[in-house]
Amino acid sequence: MQTRDLSEHAVYRAGEGSEEVARELGLDPDDLVKLSSNENPLGPSPAAMTAIREAASEVHVYPKSAHTDLVAAIADQWELTPSQVWLANGGDGALDYLSRALLDPGAAVLVPEPGFAYYGMSARYHHGRVRSYSLRAEEGFTQSADAVLDVYDGERIVYLTSPHNPTGTVVDLADVERIAEETNEDTLVVVDEAYGEFAETPSAVRLVEGREGWDAREDVAVLRTFSKAYGLAGLRLGYAVVPEPWAGAYARVNTPFAASTVACRAGLAALDDREHVERTVESAVWAREYLESELDTKTHESEGNFVLAKVSDATAVAEAAQRRGVIVRDCTSFGLPECVRVSCGTREETERAVSVLNEVLAG
């Protein structure tokens, strides 16, 4: 017996964890600085940790009420109807729901290159095809409507990432609107805002709802996550915001109880802890400014909680830094073999990372 043909399916390459690297190098995990996965260096909010402990007594019950409560809170935050919030097991799960809802076999999606591998992976899982548009290093990885529309050919879903991973660039709402306006009426423009809390650019949710001078659109959806600014990456919790006319499709495509009771209760508490999110954003802004000013190499201006740095050989630099106790992301898997991505850590972590990377670069 064989699986179906998976030869065209990409493999998602996650950044190595501290324990993995420590075992490989015979080091103490506590002596490592892990800045390879864009995680929150401040951890989850105290309120979320309390909610996790309290939710332990509920894990024998399916998370119906916890799910309902969190969806209602998210909807209230964005001034949406609850049906427009598609809660999922991480942002990846929300991408899968959108693929299930929109892709017939053979339908195509348009994704950024470089970019998040799971856009294409999700499409292929659902028997779709993948095409790409380029973000060019020589143009500072600028994202524009022209870059998308010049290669658009009727794809069912167009993916935008704002801020973009791994470059940190953003998409103006005017460009999102133009892309939606100039693509077919049955094309959905998905704006992935996993790092949205770190950017000054307004959320594309304004286009979904038609607020603050923007017309409401039925062809724009937005992806959000609790993994980054809220510090809940290990609980896998995310959601999509979709147009109201077809929001009811969620009941037909979602995985039953995909978001756990613990995740939902933690998410609800984290959503209410604005102070923790503000401290997280302030920390990230300081760190990325420090990285951009102090690294002895070219960096790309970022609005995420990470900075992309140009080096001669990403694999060699990442391995050398790792041997010195600092883990950064080799971006070869993104198609950028001359770049490393450095996540924003605490002040101590960021300063150590800069010191080690400059030492490696000088060598």
Side-chain angles (χ1 to χ4, degrees):
M1 177 179 174
Q2 298 291 327
T3 65
R4 67 186 175 99
D5 183 7
L6 301 175
S7 58
E8 293 188 4
H9 288 244
V11 176
Y12 179 70
R13 306 287 184 187
E16 286 192 288
S18 297
E19 293 187 1
E20 297 170 276
V21 173
R23 283 195 295 267
E24 291 173 9
L25 301 180
L27 302 174
D28 185 336
D30 293 337
D31 293 335
L32 296 174
V33 172
K34 181 191 175 190
L35 299 179
S36 58
S37 298
N38 299 341
E39 294 156 338
N40 190 327
L42 306 185
S45 80
M49 290 190 283
T50 297
I52 290 168
R53 288 189 291 268
E54 292 176 350
S57 63
E58 300 180 47
V59 297
H60 64 295
V61 178
Y62 288 113
K64 192 172 189 307
S65 62
H67 181 286
T68 301
D69 292 345
L70 179 55
V71 166
I74 295 170
D76 183 64
Q77 179 192 56
W78 292 109
E79 300 179 26
L80 305 163
T81 62
S83 63
Q84 291 178 265
V85 178
W86 287 16
L87 199 63
N89 178 27
D92 313 336
L95 290 173
D96 283 340
Y97 293 162
L98 293 172
S99 292
R100 292 179 196 177
L102 284 118
L103 297 183
D104 290 318
V109 303
L110 188 61
V111 306
E113 182 67 39
F116 184 37
Y118 200 75
Y119 302 146
M121 292 168 68
S122 181
R124 291 189 178 99
Y125 293 157
H126 295 87
H127 305 280
R129 296 180 296 108
V130 182
R131 297 185 66 247
S132 65
Y133 61 93
S134 296
L135 304 181
R136 304 182 186 282
E138 59 270 24
E139 298 172 357
F141 299 107
T142 299
Q143 300 189 73
S144 68
D146 286 339
V148 174
L149 295 171
D150 284 349
V151 298
Y152 170 76
D153 189 27
E155 286 79 13
R156 185 71 156 121
I157 301 176
V158 172
Y159 284 106
L160 309 174
T161 317
S162 187
H164 178 265
N165 178 25
T167 69
T169 60
V170 294
V171 186
D172 289 337
L173 291 195
D175 283 303
V176 178
E177 183 182 53
R178 183 184 160 204
I179 292 167
E181 190 67 29
E182 297 186 23
T183 51
N184 296 344
E185 63 179 16
D186 61 351
T187 292
L188 178 69
V189 178
V190 176
V191 186
D192 181 352
E193 295 181 347
Y195 302 95
E197 288 83 1
F198 302 102
E200 295 183 3
T201 303
S203 172
V205 172
R206 294 183 182 185
L207 297 178
V208 181
E209 277 298 276
R211 294 200 307 267
E212 300 181 41
W214 299 94
D215 293 331
R217 305 202 61 93
E218 297 182 11
D219 52 3
V220 174
V222 178
L223 189 74
R224 284 268 171 166
T225 183
F226 284 85
S227 294
K228 311 302 180 185
Y230 292 99
L232 300 180
L235 288 180
R236 312 306 303 125
L237 186 65
Y239 61 94
V241 169
V242 306
E244 191 169 11
W246 53 274
Y250 181 64
R252 300 181 182 275
V253 299
N254 73 312
T255 303
F257 309 116
S260 72
T261 294
V262 175
C264 288
R265 292 301 182 203
L268 192 61
L271 200 65
D272 197 44
D273 190 351
R274 297 307 307 169
E275 180 182 351
H276 182 73
V277 173
E278 289 170 5
R279 286 198 304 115
T280 295
V281 172
E282 289 173 2
S283 174
V285 169
W286 177 88
R288 73 190 185 204
E289 290 177 352
Y290 186 84
L291 289 165
E292 289 167 355
S293 67
E294 300 301 320
L295 277 173
D296 294 337
T297 187
K298 174 181 172 57
T299 60
H300 295 275
E301 186 175 349
S302 172
E303 291 203 36
N305 65 337
F306 53 85
V307 168
L308 187 72
K310 182 174 175 58
V311 297
S312 57
D313 183 330
T315 300
V317 168
E319 290 179 351
Q322 193 165 278
R323 289 192 296 270
R324 292 164 170 79
V326 173
I327 309 171
V328 297
R329 183 64 182 265
D330 172 0
C331 287
T332 300
S333 63
F334 285 96
L336 299 172
E338 296 183 349
C339 291
V340 294
R341 190 192 65 197
V342 188
S343 301
C344 294
T346 63
R347 291 198 174 217
E348 181 181 356
E349 290 170 339
T350 305
E351 288 170 352
R352 180 178 170 192
V354 166
S355 176
V356 164
L357 284 169
N358 284 346
E359 178 183 317
V360 169
L361 293 169

